[in-house]
Amino acid sequence: LDEPTRMAQRALETLIDLTGFSAGGFYRLVLEQPQEGKGFVELLLGYERPGDARLGHFARLPVVLGKGFMGLALATKEVQHIEDYQTWEGAWPSLQAHELRTLLTAPLFLKGAPYGALTLASFGRKAVVSEEDSALLEAVARRLERALERAAHLEEITRTREDALRALGLGLELRDLETKGHTDRVVALTEALGRVLGFPDLEGLRTGAYLHDLGKLAIPDAILLKPGPLTEAEWRIMQSHCDIGFGMLENLGFLSQTARNIVRYHHERMDGSGYPFGLKGEEIPLEARIFAVVDVYDALLQSRPYKPAWSQEEALMELKRQAGKTLDAQVVEAFLALITQPVPSRSAS
């Protein structure tokens, strides 16, 4: 297992089965006062033997680095074994009240900084702890740390890629100031619509939404910003931005087919009137049909060199008119439900 929470869950189940402990938890540290080493630990997940139901009392615990069983583990970077919490000099009465007895805690670190702990506990009776038990818990903790490091690294890569893709989208906005904010709006709406429709590749939808008009970088400003109608020759050049964008992305292996399809097919229309290939109906990939609804909606709401902005009511009415004609009727229906759903009141939320 490589995913940290799944690994921790399996580890806790196995450790409880192999030892005399009755419960175990994977805790994350939150330092509210870093300079003083004060904060709390919160239970990310736990496991108890059947019949035990006391772990809920330990879901959030105050912590001071260097004090308490978890604070000592994180300060010393060593596994802490407390044979009997009821007689331990550092015990807190609030925890003693739940018959907490034996504890075994392994600290967790991420990039050298305290992250949390894996803790095993027994209630009501003392548990016998062998050297093998301590060594096993420490080995599991080190394995979990490596998984946390990988997850943090992947998250950083994803965030960096997201920032780079957004920068490309914003760069396109600088070429056409009338569409300022278009990138962030269509990305958010496309992901939300994909979620409503149960689309399996939300990341691909986001990426495609960021990059959908990348090919416009190759379109001359005289055409892109022309206030009047385009000539036939100019229109052919404008239509080429879909294939140009697809060509620019073709050799980027990290992009999913979902993202590439949005870039290439987002101007195709259900009745075959779109471009660049004049595809009809389900010949158009679903991801492109999803994005097309969002793109048309946002374009109608914004003023352009060739048209004024429409009201939201006018834009929604136009989507209804185009449903089943140029736009996918089911996607339009889902989008209308999404965009018109009531916002929860502050008291209700």
Side-chain angles (χ1 to χ4, degrees):
L1 295 175
D2 289 324
E3 200 278 317
T5 54
R6 290 181 59 212
M7 180 186 295
Q9 185 69 48
R10 180 75 64 81
L12 288 172
E13 293 172 1
T14 304
L15 287 165
I16 297 302
D17 288 343
L18 292 176
T19 65
F21 290 98
S22 53
F26 172 29
Y27 287 87
R28 186 183 63 159
L29 172 69
V30 178
L31 286 178
E32 297 175 305
Q33 302 176 45
Q35 292 183 341
E36 299 179 21
K38 293 182 179 180
F40 62 91
V41 288
E42 58 182 356
L43 183 66
L44 297 181
L45 57 88
Y47 177 74
E48 298 178 276
R49 289 186 185 275
D52 281 309
R54 291 184 246 203
L55 200 56
H57 299 296
F58 300 81
R60 179 183 165 116
L61 301 171
V63 70
V64 179
L65 297 183
K67 297 181 180 180
F69 61 95
M70 289 197 205
L72 280 171
L74 288 165
T76 62
K77 299 185 178 182
E78 296 178 353
V79 173
Q80 296 295 310
H81 172 211
I82 297 174
E83 185 177 1
D84 190 352
Y85 192 80
Q86 296 295 315
T87 59
W88 185 53
E89 60 182 9
W92 297 342
S94 59
L95 299 187
Q96 287 176 316
H98 298 295
E99 300 184 275
L100 183 60
R101 301 300 296 269
T102 305
L103 284 163
L104 194 63
T105 298
L108 296 169
F109 290 81
L110 178 61
K111 297 182 179 180
Y115 178 84
L118 273 180
T119 295
L120 303 178
S122 69
F123 299 101
R125 59 175 179 78
K126 293 192 292 185
V128 177
V129 179
S130 67
E131 291 184 6
E132 288 81 4
D133 292 337
S134 296
L136 179 59
L137 179 63
E138 185 165 14
V140 169
R142 301 293 80 77
R143 180 76 177 83
L144 183 56
E145 282 179 339
R146 291 195 294 273
L148 289 168
E149 290 277 0
R150 276 196 303 273
H153 183 59
L154 288 173
E155 182 179 346
E156 185 176 346
I157 290 174
T158 300
R159 187 167 55 249
T160 301
R161 185 179 66 182
E162 180 98 355
D163 290 343
L165 295 175
R166 184 170 183 269
L168 281 173
L170 295 179
L172 289 167
E173 291 182 10
L174 292 175
R175 293 207 62 202
D176 184 1
L177 297 178
E178 304 301 326
T179 61
K180 186 173 177 61
H182 176 70
T183 298
D184 290 336
R185 290 192 301 269
V186 297
V187 168
L189 281 175
T190 302
E191 182 179 18
L193 181 55
R195 200 179 299 278
V196 168
L197 291 168
F199 191 81
D201 184 12
L202 295 178
E203 176 64 24
L205 286 180
R206 287 181 60 82
T207 305
Y210 274 124
L211 299 173
H212 69 282
D213 272 343
L214 183 62
K216 284 187 176 179
L217 289 171
I219 304 301
D221 284 351
I223 296 176
L224 191 65
L225 305 178
K226 187 175 180 179
L230 299 179
T231 67
E232 185 176 342
E234 290 171 336
W235 183 236
R236 284 199 299 270
I237 293 174
M238 177 64 85
Q239 289 179 329
S240 70
H241 81 269
C242 297
D243 268 342
I244 291 173
F246 180 80
M248 294 170 70
L249 304 175
E250 200 167 9
N251 294 319
L252 296 182
F254 67 86
L255 288 180
S256 68
Q257 193 61 45
T258 296
R260 297 165 199 248
N261 284 344
I262 288 176
V263 172
R264 195 172 209 182
Y265 303 116
H266 68 280
H267 282 297
E268 298 287 357
R269 295 295 177 254
M270 296 294 286
D271 59 5
S273 64
Y275 62 87
F277 302 109
L279 301 181
K280 292 184 178 181
E282 294 188 2
E283 292 177 344
I284 307 168
L286 176 57
E287 52 267 34
R289 286 179 268 147
I290 290 172
F291 180 77
V293 173
V294 173
D295 194 35
V296 168
Y297 172 74
D298 191 74
L300 292 174
L301 292 180
Q302 311 307 315
S303 60
R304 297 291 179 93
Y306 51 85
K307 76 165 191 67
W310 291 25
S311 69
Q312 184 184 55
E313 183 180 1
E314 290 172 328
L316 294 178
M317 286 300 298
E318 181 62 18
L319 292 185
K320 292 178 182 178
R321 282 192 290 268
Q322 296 302 323
K325 298 177 182 177
T326 62
L327 300 174
D328 186 304
Q330 291 183 332
V331 176
V332 169
E333 181 180 2
F335 183 77
L336 292 174
L338 172 69
I339 209 72
T340 59
Q341 62 186 358
V343 178
S345 66
R346 187 175 297 274
S347 59
S349 60

